[in-house]
Amino acid sequence: MRDRRDYYYWQAKKLGYRSRASFKLIQMNRTFKLIKEGDWVLDLGASPGGWSQVAVELGAKVVAVDINPMEPIEGVHFIRGDITREETLEEIKSVRRYYDVVLSDASPKISGKWTIDHLLSIDLARSAFKIAREVLKDGGNFVVKVFQGEEIQNLFNEFKRFFRFKKFHSPKASRKQSAEIYFVGKGFKRFKAQRNIQQSRV
């Protein structure tokens, strides 16, 4: 019933988007200029494909990843895989070594318990960033969803040192009652990230 009263739900139906979430990316791209024509975009947690649709409309080539199936979209290469697993990262790299933009609108399975869902979303955001550190090009852009809670500032502190521009942002299309917020990082410092990875392996 909630969706049937929702403006963005009906706009998505009207414009042929697979989910209302498409408007979140449209709005963030308008604000932050994340994707430009010709970019390679990695869309994590992509199903049902709303963000991939927007990226293609913006002129990007898209590799989409999700643990769930996704109906084909022209211009999108789909990988069915778990973003927390190493073999999924290897499959992503086998399509293309570096990407201009890494996006993640992935959500954990919702338990309804605020703290648990928050911590699960933090873990998922870290998994998305682990992939981004490996495949995001120097100067690239990164967007990841997380649920607000006690660990959010720690997550921001972890991510911020790898980007020239960084902030949390809530697009207008996010539901008012939602706990979700997006970390937006622009100008990825790839060489700093690589040093950090090497140090962690020592």
Side-chain angles (χ1 to χ4, degrees), residues 17-30:
Y17 290 123
R18 294 186 179 184
S19 74
R20 67 183 303 289
S22 297
F23 295 100
K24 299 174 196 176
L25 182 57
I26 289 169
Q27 291 166 359
M28 285 191 286
N29 192 65
R30 197 175 294 145

Side-chain angles (χ1 to χ4, degrees), residues 40-105:
W40 276 89
V41 172
L42 178 62
D43 181 12
L44 304 173
S47 188
W51 279 25
S52 290
Q53 283 180 299
V54 171
V56 168
E57 282 183 2
L58 292 167
K61 297 175 278 290
V62 180
V63 176
V65 184
D66 203 288
I67 199 166
N68 298 309
M70 187 173 98
E71 289 294 317
I73 298 171
E74 189 174 347
V76 177
H77 177 93
F78 179 66
I79 295 169
R80 188 168 182 186
D82 182 341
I83 67 170
T84 68
R85 299 182 70 89
E86 193 67 29
E87 56 262 35
T88 304
L89 172 60
E90 292 309 311
E91 196 168 348
I92 290 165
K93 286 180 178 178
S94 75
V95 178
R96 185 171 177 83
R97 183 61 186 88
Y98 294 115
Y99 295 79
D100 301 285
V101 184
V102 176
L103 308 172
S104 177
D105 197 31

Side-chain angles (χ1 to χ4, degrees), residues 158-175:
E158 284 175 34
F159 289 177
K160 70 177 183 180
R161 57 202 175 105
F162 297 108
F163 297 93
R164 284 186 278 279
F165 170 90
K166 52 270 182 180
K167 74 174 295 182
F168 277 128
H169 178 74
S170 182
K172 188 179 176 184
S174 286
R175 289 190 175 93

Side-chain angles (χ1 to χ4, degrees), residues 70-183:
M70 187 173 98
E71 289 294 317
I73 298 171
E74 189 174 347
V76 177
H77 177 93
F78 179 66
I79 295 169
R80 188 168 182 186
D82 182 341
I83 67 170
T84 68
R85 299 182 70 89
E86 193 67 29
E87 56 262 35
T88 304
L89 172 60
E90 292 309 311
E91 196 168 348
I92 290 165
K93 286 180 178 178
S94 75
V95 178
R96 185 171 177 83
R97 183 61 186 88
Y98 294 115
Y99 295 79
D100 301 285
V101 184
V102 176
L103 308 172
S104 177
D105 197 31
S107 289
K109 285 187 178 177
I110 304 300
S111 72
K113 295 182 179 176
W114 181 290
T115 302
I116 292 171
D117 293 339
H118 162 63
L119 293 174
L120 288 172
S121 81
I122 291 282
D123 286 345
L124 210 49
R126 286 183 173 131
S127 293
F129 184 59
K130 183 180 177 184
I131 290 173
R133 286 199 313 182
E134 293 278 354
V135 304
L136 186 57
K137 76 169 191 180
D138 189 54
N141 301 328
F142 176 64
V143 177
V144 63
K145 178 166 72 182
V146 67
F147 297 154
Q148 297 185 61
E150 61 186 17
E151 280 297 309
I152 200 162
Q153 190 58 49
N154 289 336
L155 187 79
F156 185 80
N157 292 340
E158 284 175 34
F159 289 177
K160 70 177 183 180
R161 57 202 175 105
F162 297 108
F163 297 93
R164 284 186 278 279
F165 170 90
K166 52 270 182 180
K167 74 174 295 182
F168 277 128
H169 178 74
S170 182
K172 188 179 176 184
S174 286
R175 289 190 175 93
K176 286 182 172 57
Q177 69 272 31
S178 174
E180 73 182 18
I181 196 165
Y182 291 85
F183 173 85

